[in-house]
Amino acid sequence: MKNLTTLIIAVFASAAMIGQEVYLETGLNTTKFEFNDSEGDLNDTFQSKSNDFFSIGARYHYRDAFSFTGGVSYVGIGSIGTDVDGQNYVDYSLDYFFINVGGEYQVFDYKEASVHVKANAGFGIMMNGTQVLNNTVYSLPGDNDFGSALYSINLGVKGSLALNEKADVYMQCLGGYSDPIGVIGDVGSLRVLNACINLGFTVDLIIE
């Protein structure tokens, strides 16, 4: 955790040096697992589960309506269900550290308010995770179902309100999926469906 805190501070400092704005976001990430076995059959017994979401980064305005974003996030992922036989209770709880890049396009503005559509992609590494199977807890880092990392794709909309000339507050809703990278062998596949609602705050670094 100490190394993670140091990394986040370093990213925030770097963002402050290269970006026009820095942002901070926090909220809830709701996910659901889709497991397919090696024959392609879907285990549809899993239900969604909500976890915490935290992100920091920088925003660079390319043109009046378009901007690029880059940052890091610490994201909780999980799902609750049963195994393929429907006999055993399973509860997954995982934490991932993501590096994210994306873009935003402003589609509407009125006085101090604006609406943006946005897209982002991320690459995540599992920091810790557990599987609870019938009240027995198993550690998940290194588990082949989750591969060596996750990549994610998300699309959504953001509503922003200017507090003053230097600061904005916003709320955004994003939805998408994450897939494992580096799964070894014919063990089937996992897809993580997700929806995220979070509150954000930006500070303009440009000095006029």
Side-chain angles (χ1 to χ4, degrees), residues 12-180:
F12 191 78
S14 299
M17 289 187 290
I18 66 175
Q20 294 175 331
E21 295 178 350
V22 292
Y23 66 81
L24 170 68
E25 299 171 349
T26 185
L28 288 178
N29 186 48
T30 301
T31 55
K32 179 183 178 182
F33 289 178
E34 286 190 345
F35 280 109
N36 289 274
D37 62 24
S38 57
E39 297 179 354
D41 295 326
L42 173 66
N43 177 9
D44 60 358
T45 64
F46 280 86
Q47 304 298 319
S48 60
K49 183 178 180 180
S50 294
N51 295 274
D52 293 333
F53 170 94
F54 176 79
S55 180
I56 61 172
R59 179 175 292 105
Y60 179 82
H61 291 275
Y62 175 64
R63 293 180 179 175
D64 289 342
F66 188 74
S67 60
F68 295 105
T69 59
V72 298
S73 57
Y74 198 77
V75 183
I77 293 174
S79 197
I80 301 172
T82 62
D83 63 10
V84 292
D85 297 322
Q87 300 296 320
N88 299 304
Y89 169 83
V90 184
D91 185 348
Y92 288 95
S93 296
L94 308 96
D95 293 315
Y96 276 82
F97 179 79
F98 274 91
I99 299 173
N100 308 297
V101 294
E104 299 181 3
Y105 185 78
Q106 181 177 297
V107 295
F108 173 81
D109 73 286
Y110 179 73
K111 294 184 178 180
E112 306 303 320
S114 60
V115 177
H116 308 251
V117 292
K118 62 181 301 177
N120 63 46
F123 176 85
I125 297 175
M126 188 190 301
M127 304 302 293
N128 55 71
T130 58
Q131 176 199 59
V132 179
L133 178 61
N134 292 337
N135 297 320
T136 301
V137 180
Y138 300 92
S139 179
L140 287 179
D143 187 280
N144 194 42
D145 285 340
F146 296 91
S148 57
L150 284 181
Y151 74 87
S152 66
I153 301 292
N154 288 280
L155 303 172
V157 62
K158 180 183 84 171
S160 180
L161 180 66
L163 300 178
N164 52 49
E165 293 183 354
K166 291 294 185 180
D168 296 350
V169 64
Y170 60 89
M171 178 171 287
Q172 61 186 13
C173 300
L174 299 172
Y177 66 90
S178 300
D179 286 342

